[in-house]
Amino acid sequence: MNKRGKFHLAILLFSILILIIVFFIFLATRPTTFDSPAPQTLENCHTIKADNSNGIDFVFLTPDKKTAEEYTDFILQTTPYNEYSDRLNFRYVEAPDAPCNVYRNIALLCDDPKINELAASCPHDFIMTIKKGQSHLRSSALKNSMSIVRESAMSVVTHELGHALVGLAEEYTPASLSRDQENCKSSCDFGELGIGCSIGCSEADFYRSSPNSVMRTLSSNDYDPYNTAIIERYLEENTQPISQGITGSVISPIIDCKNEKYYEIIYDPKSQQTISSIKTGCAPKKGGQGPDSTILISENGDSIYKTQYLLTLFTESQGEDEIEGEIIELENLERQIIFTIPKISEVKNVEISKDQIPIIQLNLNEVGALACIV
Amino acid sequence: MHSLNKKGLAEIVSASLIILVSITAIVLMFGIVSNFTTQLSPEISCSEARINPPVSLIKTCQNDENKLEVTLDRLTNTPISNLQFRIDSSSNSVSYGCGQSCGISCSLQDPLEIKKFYLDITTIQNPSQLILSVDGCLMATEQNIPPCN
């Protein structure tokens, strides 16, 4: 190699050395990202049927449109929902990867902040997450959220709706008798609606109103008359028939969840700690029936509205003859529970109670506005 | 002739490599310098913020839950990352933040919105003044904080 060649080689090696040094400086001085929450974006909300602004809003989180339509048709063919089809609204969000959890290796439990964020894309009172490929797990219901194993009998939806809407107790045995339930009695006191009073209803010495309702076995899709009447009463009290304008045309509810805000409260039953924040989207405005509640309180201490439900986790799958399952009360729930509350300007405080005893009391004005010490 | 061509080709290749390496080094250096200057400069210029303040302190008061309520009006669309509040008392001073430094527990309002912020002052006795800064720029000072009605 001549002198000139050596000179070029030296420059080349020197340049490569400089390049390597510069590259490492670049890596070292890259800005670190702030630990701030990612901006929340809502998903597309698809409407299957939603023509009653005074109805109950259901949102499906499903792998696809076909599944959502299939479950909607199934519910609307089931008594008593078939009689109230004009009071039930159904929407869906395509969520093939809905982030569900597995509870104690036995049950599907879709009650995650991300699930609530997906549901927030649509107006909703109740959430039904349908998850494929989980046939080894039980379906479940907790508060207003139902987690359905796609491979289970369709009647599991009817069963979970019985828990979520009106707090019906399990009619199989053995099971824990759920709080404030109406369908299991200590005597055969079902009046004319009893169609074959049978012993065994959660507990061995309680009675059920019929031999084999859907609350006892998934081989049935009937609540049977006594339980049907409980659901009909709930639907009568919490919905109204479609309102029509002077011209007779149907007034459709148009709610854009992008313009709505809600409070998300994550509660840990073990530590009794809460984490709260404000998010964009829709939150439930109607509850079910039960001894537990969310009460929104105004600046002057008036209760603005109350949502009721049951803070109990029901898990179930079909056994040999009847359902097999487990009931877990809030205090034994080994995980956080999420409450979502619509942001209403005149509301100051929220009180979340179990059996009328407050477990969470929050000044909502401070949510997302409590400065941290730095 | 053959060896000359080879020599010439080697020179072209090495010259091209030197140019390529130099350009890459320049681009990387530019990235470092521009990133460094961005980090050094605040999101808003303090002199500009004084002329055209991005927030206005509407009200400050102490509520009966031992919290200061600070109401701020976000006057412009100027991007803001953090609000800083400093509470001084005769014995100590405590700094609070809201925005990126605070995560979800305290978020800034959207431009042109009014929002009330809460500062837990249980560790401060007799707060004497509040100093409000936006991204390091002093915005307002409030003395003699009254109780909220």
Side-chain angles (χ1 to χ4, degrees), chain A residues 281-299:
Chain A
C282 290
K285 293 183 176 169
K286 282 180 181 161
Q289 199 170 283
D292 310 323
S293 61
T294 295
I295 303 173
L296 300 182
I297 300 157
S298 71
E299 199 81 41

Side-chain angles (χ1 to χ4, degrees), chain B residues 45-113:
Chain B
S45 137
C46 291
S47 51
E48 198 182 302
R50 243 170 261 130
I51 300 162
N52 190 18
V55 296
S56 156
L57 180 60
I58 295 177
K59 189 185 170 188
T60 308
C61 63
Q62 185 175 348
N63 70 21
D64 48 16
E65 292 167 2
N66 238 350
K67 283 179 184 140
L68 275 198
E69 295 183 6
V70 183
T71 310
L72 299 181
D73 188 356
R74 198 162 163 190
L75 302 169
T76 66
N77 288 308
T78 310
I80 297 173
S81 299
N82 284 296
L83 294 172
Q84 295 101 22
F85 306 91
R86 201 182 87 199
I87 310 288
D88 293 336
S89 73
S90 53
S91 55
N92 63 341
S93 65
V94 180
S95 294
Y96 301 80
C98 188
Q100 283 182 336
S101 60
C102 207
I104 58 164
S105 68
C106 191
S107 55
L108 303 180
Q109 73 263 51
D110 290 333
L112 315 177
E113 278 186 2

Side-chain angles (χ1 to χ4, degrees), chain A residues 183-246:
Chain A
N183 56 319
C184 293
K185 298 196 174 202
S186 55
S187 63
C188 276
D189 180 22
F190 297 103
E192 290 174 1
L193 297 173
I195 53 160
C197 179
S198 309
I199 193 141
C201 193
S202 288
E203 293 182 3
D205 54 350
F206 272 69
Y207 292 87
R208 56 188 191 274
S209 64
S210 65
N212 283 312
S213 85
V214 70
M215 299 312 290
R216 181 177 172 83
T217 172
L218 298 181
S219 57
S220 163
N221 191 41
D222 286 329
Y223 287 111
D224 288 341
Y226 190 83
N227 296 343
T228 298
I230 295 170
I231 296 170
E232 282 175 343
R233 189 186 65 212
Y234 164 80
L235 292 171
E236 288 289 343
E237 286 173 0
N238 289 279
T239 62
Q240 286 172 20
I242 273 183
S243 54
Q244 298 203 327
I246 296 165

Side-chain angles (χ1 to χ4, degrees), chain A residues 253-266:
Chain A
I254 300 167
I255 302 164
D256 188 353
C257 291
K258 290 185 182 75
N259 301 327
E260 304 279 320
K261 298 256 182 198
Y262 69 93
Y263 298 103
E264 178 191 76
I265 301 169
I266 303 174

Side-chain angles (χ1 to χ4, degrees), chain A residues 124-140:
Chain A
H124 68 278
D125 298 311
F126 294 90
I127 306 168
M128 285 190 242
T129 309
I130 316 287
K131 194 81 179 165
K132 274 182 180 172
Q134 308 288 333
S135 56
H136 59 293
L137 296 175
R138 295 173 182 167
S139 297
S140 71

Side-chain angles (χ1 to χ4, degrees), chain A residues 204-359:
Chain A
D205 54 350
F206 272 69
Y207 292 87
R208 56 188 191 274
S209 64
S210 65
N212 283 312
S213 85
V214 70
M215 299 312 290
R216 181 177 172 83
T217 172
L218 298 181
S219 57
S220 163
N221 191 41
D222 286 329
Y223 287 111
D224 288 341
Y226 190 83
N227 296 343
T228 298
I230 295 170
I231 296 170
E232 282 175 343
R233 189 186 65 212
Y234 164 80
L235 292 171
E236 288 289 343
E237 286 173 0
N238 289 279
T239 62
Q240 286 172 20
I242 273 183
S243 54
Q244 298 203 327
I246 296 165
T247 57
S249 61
V250 173
I251 301 166
S252 298
I254 300 167
I255 302 164
D256 188 353
C257 291
K258 290 185 182 75
N259 301 327
E260 304 279 320
K261 298 256 182 198
Y262 69 93
Y263 298 103
E264 178 191 76
I265 301 169
I266 303 174
Y267 175 71
D268 183 355
K270 206 171 180 184
S271 65
Q272 300 183 351
Q273 297 288 307
T274 58
I275 303 168
S276 46
S277 57
I278 298 178
K279 293 191 168 181
T280 299
C282 290
K285 293 183 176 169
K286 282 180 181 161
Q289 199 170 283
D292 310 323
S293 61
T294 295
I295 303 173
L296 300 182
I297 300 157
S298 71
E299 199 81 41
N300 54 17
D302 295 336
S303 161
I304 292 178
Y305 83 66
K306 185 176 178 180
T307 321
Q308 287 174 273
Y309 40 76
L310 200 52
L311 290 174
T312 304
L313 172 67
F314 296 89
T315 70
E316 37 258 325
S317 61
Q318 181 62 30
E320 212 165 288
D321 296 320
E322 54 183 39
I323 294 168
E324 288 172 352
E326 194 179 346
I327 294 169
I328 299 117
E329 285 294 339
L330 177 71
E331 52 276 16
N332 300 322
L333 206 59
E334 293 154 2
R335 64 185 307 281
Q336 296 168 328
I337 184 167
I338 300 151
F339 298 92
T340 54
I341 300 161
K343 190 172 185 291
I344 300 169
S345 56
E346 64 266 33
V347 170
K348 189 194 172 199
N349 291 306
V350 63
E351 189 175 281
I352 297 174
S353 303
K354 184 178 179 242
D355 285 327
Q356 284 90 50
I357 298 164
I359 54 169

Side-chain angles (χ1 to χ4, degrees), chain A residues 2 4 8 11-12 15-16 19 22-23 25-26 29 31 34 37 275 277 365-366 368-374, chain B residues 7 11 17-18 21 24-25 28 32 35 39 65 67 95-97 100 102 104-107 115-118:
Chain A
N2 61 16
R4 206 170 161 188
H8 278 151
I11 289 181
L12 186 66
S15 303
I16 291 170
L19 187 66
V22 167
F23 181 70
I25 293 172
F26 179 73
T29 58
F34 285 105
I275 303 168
S277 57
N365 291 338
E366 292 179 11
L370 189 62
C372 54
I373 294 176
V374 291
Chain B
K7 204 172 162 186
E11 280 188 12
L17 276 172
I18 290 167
V21 166
T24 317
L28 275 174
I32 293 166
N35 177 36
Q39 279 184 326
E65 292 167 2
K67 283 179 184 140
S95 294
Y96 301 80
Q100 283 182 336
C102 207
I104 58 164
S105 68
C106 191
S107 55
K115 183 169 176 173
K116 195 185 280 182
F117 296 91
Y118 295 81

Side-chain angles (χ1 to χ4, degrees), chain A residues 1-10:
Chain A
M1 191 181 282
N2 61 16
K3 263 187 171 181
R4 206 170 161 188
K6 279 180 186 170
F7 178 68
H8 278 151
L9 185 68

